[in-house]
Amino acid sequence: MGLWDLAKAAGSSVLNQMKEQQEEIMRYKDRLEGLDDETLKRKAQSGDKNQRYAAMMILKERGY
């Protein structure tokens, strides 16, 4: 396997990880959308990084 093949495989792996992370964020977002703003603010400050990001996305959509 040449250097180019290794680089392609590494890029593919990174792309797959990014897709999985984005899917997890969207699942969190779906679960968190029904929460009030104060609860979302707390979640945006604590917990798993994907959950924090989802909470921040919702708050941004709500004008915060």
Side-chain angles (χ1 to χ4, degrees):
M1 182 180 282
L3 183 59
W4 183 247
D5 292 330
L6 286 172
K8 237 166 65 173
S12 177
S13 175
V14 169
L15 183 61
N16 287 338
Q17 288 175 348
M18 289 175 62
K19 284 180 182 179
E20 287 174 16
Q21 183 178 18
Q22 186 64 24
E23 289 171 0
E24 183 178 7
I25 290 169
M26 296 312 289
R27 284 192 301 272
Y28 273 129
K29 189 172 179 256
D30 288 342
R31 279 190 252 157
L32 298 176
E33 282 182 320
L35 298 176
D36 63 274
D37 295 348
E38 292 304 314
T39 303
L40 285 171
K41 288 176 187 177
R42 284 193 303 272
K43 292 209 178 276
Q45 294 176 352
S46 64
D48 159 287
K49 71 177 181 173
N50 291 336
Q51 184 179 26
R52 288 192 319 255
Y53 190 72
M56 287 187 279
M57 287 174 63
I58 296 167
L59 287 167
K60 185 175 180 180
E61 289 172 1
R62 292 183 183 179
Y64 287 94

